[in-house]
Amino acid sequence: MRLTFVHCTNRAYADTQMFGIHFMPVWAYTLAAHLEALPDVQLVLFDDRFEARATIGEADLFLFTGINQDFEAIAQLGEELRLRFPRAKYAIGGPVCWSFQTAGKIERLARFDYVFVGDGEEALPEFILALKSGRPVPRIIAAPQRFDLSKALPMHRRLLAQTVHRYYGAIVEVSRGCPFLCEFCDIRVLPDNNRSHIKDPALIVSELDALWDLNVRQVLFACDNFIGSHGWAEDVCDAIHAWMQATGKRMSLYTWLTIDLSRHPRLLSKLRMAGFDMFFIGVESFNRSSLLETAKLQNTALGMAEAVRGIQSYGFIVVAGLIMGFDTDPDDITEVMLDGILRSGLISGDPSLLTALPGTPLYKRMQLSGRLRDAKLGLGGFKYQTNIKYLRPVDRIRADFKSFVRRFNQGAYQYSRLLAFYSCMEAPQYQPPRTSGYADLRRLLRLVFRNSRYLYLLVLRFAMLVRSPVRVFYILRAVILTLRKHSSQRPHWFYLKFWLFNWSNSILKYSSLSDADFDIDSVESNFNRENILPLGYEESSEEQVAASKVRAQRNATVKALKIFIGQGH
Ligand code: B12
Ligand code: SF4
C-alpha cells in the first residue's frame, strides 16, 4: 500500500508571518513511526512548501493534516489530487478536524473520505489494517482518549533524515496537556488534556542525539505547557544536562510554558543549564481585569512585569503572546499594553485579536449571547479576521491595533525596550548563553538564501528598517550602547541581533497593514449589556475536567464580567 503524507499550508499566511522560516511536519514523522511495523506499507512525505505539486506520485491513500488557517489551501490541493488520482482514498486529521467537529460543522470536511479526530498513533495503524483487509471503517474516526505518551516512539528516522535539512532546526514533541483553564483556550478542553501527558526524558534525549547527528542545532520542544508537571520538567533538564556532559553535544532549545515559572528559581537554573534560551509565554494582557475575565489566574498571581523580568534575568528571552479585544479591555488598552511591554523589558512578542476557538467556554459564551460570526470558517484562530463581535466599536479596535503596531515599531520605543531588557541582564543570577541561540541568524539566513522570494523579503526588511533616518539613529544608539555593555559574561550582542531581527520582522509584517486586512465586527448598538454574561453560561459544561476546576474558571470569568457590567461601561 502506497501512503503519502501531504503537508500543505496557507502560503500567504506563511509569507507574511514566517518570512521563509519553515518548521517541520511533526505529525508525519510521528505517525510514520507507528506505521513502520505494518507489512507492505510504503511511506512518502510531500511538503507543499518545498516540492512542486506536479511531482506528487500516485498513492493508495493520501493523508492530510491541518490547522484552521490552512484549511482552504488543504481542501484545494485535495481536490487537485482527486482529479489526478480518482481511485485513491483521502483522509484528514489534526487540529482543524477537532475544531470543525466541536463547532458542529464536520460536514465541511465532506470531501475527505475519512476524518480523524484526536490522536492518531493508534487510530491510524488500526485504520490501515482494516482498509487493507477490506473491513468496514467509519468515515469519522475519533480517538477515544489521548494516546499514552509512555508508548511514544522515536520519530521516523528515514523520513527525518531525508527531509530535516529543509526546515529551521527541528521540533520534538515532549508532552501534551496543560493544567490551567483559560477561558479562550482549546487545549484545556481536548479530552483528558487538562493535565500533563509526558514523554520519557530518555526518549527526548535520544531524539536530540539523533537530530544532532543530522546536523540540527536548534530544537523547539512542542507541548502545551512544558512546566505543566514541574518534577518531570526538572527530570528532562537533568537528563539533557547529563547528555551534554557525557557527549559534549548541546542544543539551543525553545518551548512553550507559563508565567508561574518565575516562582521557581531551581527550575529556571536547570532550564538554563539544559540549553533553553527562549520561552513562548501567553502574557496576553497587561490589563488585570482582562486576565481575570479570561481566568488566566496564573498571570495575575504575580505582577506581570516583575514575573517577565524575573525570568529574563536568568538570560532567557520571553516571546510574549499578546491579545487585545477582551470584553473588559479599557479604552486606553493601547497605552496599557505598550507600557506593560516596556516595564517587562520584552524584546519580542506579537499582538493578535481575541478569537473564540470551538469547544472553549469563550466560544460558548459568544454563541449563547449571539456574538459569534462566520468570518473565515467561523472557527477562530486567525489574527485579525475574527469570529466574535467585540463590545468596543469596530473602528476603535481597528484604530487601536494600528496605533499599537505603529507606535510599537517606532525607533524610540524599540530602543527603550532594549534598554529595559538590558537592565534585566544585570541581575546576579544571569547566565550567558552556552550555544548560538535558538534564533540563530546564520542558520536563518542560510534557509532564506535558498529561496529567491524570501531573499527578496529579507532585502525589503532591511530597506524598510534603514529607510527612516530616525530608525537608523536608534539602531546606531543601540549598537553604541551594546558596545559599551558587552562582555563575555554578559554578551549583549547576542540579544541585540535578536532585537533587530524582531523589530525588522514587525516592520515588515505590519508596514502594509490596512483597514482592508481586518475582518472584524462589534455588537449592535442596542446590544443588552446584561447579555455579556448570557443565561446558560454558568450552567452545563461538556468538558472532561474536574467540576471544581471548571467552576473555578467560570467563577473568575463571571466575577470579572459582573464587575464590568456593574460599572456600566
Ligand atoms: C509547534 C507548533 C507551532 C510551531 C510550528 C508549527 C509547524 N510544525 O509548522 C509554530 C511556532 C510555527 C506555530 C505557529 C502557529 N500555530 Co501552532 N502549534 C504548535 C504546537 C505547540 C505543536 C504542534 C505539533 O507539532 N504537535 C505534535 C503533533 C504530533 O501533534 P498534531 O500535529 O496535533 O498531530 C497529532 C494529532 O492531531 C493527529 N493527527 C494530525 N494530523 C493527522 C492526520 C491524520 C491523517 C491522522 C490519522 C492523524 C493526524 O495525530 C498526531 C499524533 O497524535 C500546537 C499545539 C499542540 N500541542 O499540538 C500548536 C497549534 C497547532 N498551533 C496553533 C496555531 C493557532 C498556530 C498559529 C496560527 C498561531 C498564530 N496565531 O500565528 C501559527 C500558524 C503557523 C503557520 N501555519 O504558519 C493551534 C491550531 C489551532 C487550530 N485548531 O487551528 C495549535 C493546536 C495550538 C492551539 N490549540 O491553539 N505552531
Ligand atoms: S495556560 Fe496556555 S495552554 Fe494552558 S489553558 Fe491557558 S492558554 Fe491554554
Side-chain angles (χ1 to χ4, degrees), residues 7-11 13-14 65-76 96 377 382:
H7 194 81
C8 173
T9 58
N10 173 337
R11 194 54 70 78
Y13 194 86
T65 191
I67 62 170
N68 303 356
Q69 273 89 345
D70 296 334
F71 181 66
E72 278 151 353
I74 294 164
Q76 195 200 2
V96 70
L377 311 168
F382 290 83

Side-chain angles (χ1 to χ4, degrees), residues 7 9 13-14 18 23-27 30-31 49 63-65 67-70 91-96 99 116 118-121 124 171 173 176 186-187 220 222-224 256 352 357 381:
H7 194 81
T9 58
Y13 194 86
M18 315 296 278
F23 294 90
M24 66 188 221
V26 194
W27 69 284
T30 304
L31 295 176
R49 297 168 292 179
L63 297 171
F64 289 77
T65 191
I67 62 170
N68 303 356
Q69 273 89 345
D70 296 334
I92 184 166
V96 70
S99 280
F116 288 84
D119 294 343
E121 285 92 339
L124 186 61
I171 305 179
E173 193 196 22
R176 294 177 189 172
D186 76 338
I187 283 162
L220 194 162
C223 56
D224 298 319
W256 279 258
S352 305
L357 288 164

Side-chain angles (χ1 to χ4, degrees), residues 123-142:
L124 186 61
E126 278 168 25
F127 162 78
I128 287 172
L129 285 175
L131 217 56
K132 284 177 76 168
S133 65
R135 270 184 281 137
V137 258
R139 206 180 84 72
I140 313 250
I141 300 155

Side-chain angles (χ1 to χ4, degrees), residues 275-325:
F276 285 90
D277 67 0
M278 275 171 41
F279 299 128
F280 180 92
I281 298 185
V283 165
E284 325 304 8
S285 183
F286 289 97
N287 182 48
R288 192 176 157 80
S289 68
S290 308
L291 292 172
L292 291 171
E293 164 196 334
T294 202
K296 199 138 191 151
L297 301 180
Q298 71 275 22
N299 287 25
T300 59
L302 287 166
M304 178 64 79
E306 291 68 35
V308 173
R309 290 182 64 84
I311 294 171
Q312 297 200 133
S313 71
Y314 284 77
F316 301 111
I317 296 171
V318 171
V319 178
L322 303 169
I323 299 180
M324 293 195 276

